Each structure stands twice: as structure tokens, then as C-alpha cells.
Amino acid sequence: MKIFEVREIPVAELVKRIKDEEENLIHLKFQKATSQLESPIKVRNVRRDIARMKTVLRERELQEARAAAQKKK
């Protein structure tokens, strides 16, 4: 998933996808530990997708905080 794709997703959907991807990561790690994982690169890709989604969430939080600070002035 590319960053521009993540930025188009609404906040509620991002939170849901992060939760789903974290569960998926747990399953992938278990498969890796039991040598059933076909491609270990899948673990890295899922971790990076989670990081991208969390980054976009944080950016949006900071934008909201800045907007609130601007209104107080």
C-alpha cells in the first residue's frame, strides 16, 4: 500500500485497518516461527504498512491540534 493510498482513507477506516494488520502480523510471525511462511518479506511489508497508517493518523492529529491552536488565538 502506497502512502498516497493511505492518505485517502478516512480515520475510522484507518484505525480498523491498523487493528486488522496488527492481527495479521501476529499470524505471520507465528507462521515464520513454525517455518510455514512462504515469503518472510510479507512480515516486513505488513510492518511497513502499519507504520504508514500510523504516520498518517499522527499527521492528522497534529493538523487538528494546530487548527485548534489557531482558533484560540
Side-chain angles (χ1 to χ4, degrees):
M1 183 176 296
K2 301 289 183 179
I3 191 71
F4 64 87
E5 295 171 343
V6 175
R7 286 195 171 115
E8 295 175 358
I9 302 173
V11 174
E13 180 69 21
L14 269 178
V15 172
K16 182 180 178 282
R17 284 195 184 185
I18 289 172
K19 181 182 172 199
D20 292 342
E21 288 296 320
E22 286 175 343
E23 290 176 10
N24 185 25
L25 182 61
I26 292 170
H27 294 296
L28 288 174
K29 286 182 178 180
F30 180 74
Q31 287 178 354
K32 183 179 177 185
T34 59
S35 300
Q36 295 177 353
L37 188 60
E38 294 175 12
S39 174
I41 295 174
K42 288 181 182 182
V43 175
R44 181 176 67 183
N45 290 338
V46 170
R47 279 192 0 241
R48 288 182 178 180
D49 286 343
I50 292 169
R52 283 186 191 104
M53 289 185 269
K54 286 184 175 183
T55 299
V56 170
L57 274 178
R58 182 66 179 149
E59 287 174 350
R60 291 181 183 173
E61 288 175 6
L62 292 174
Q63 285 176 348
E64 290 174 7
R66 284 187 201 122
Q70 293 278 335
K71 287 181 182 180
K72 287 184 178 182
K73 288 182 178 181

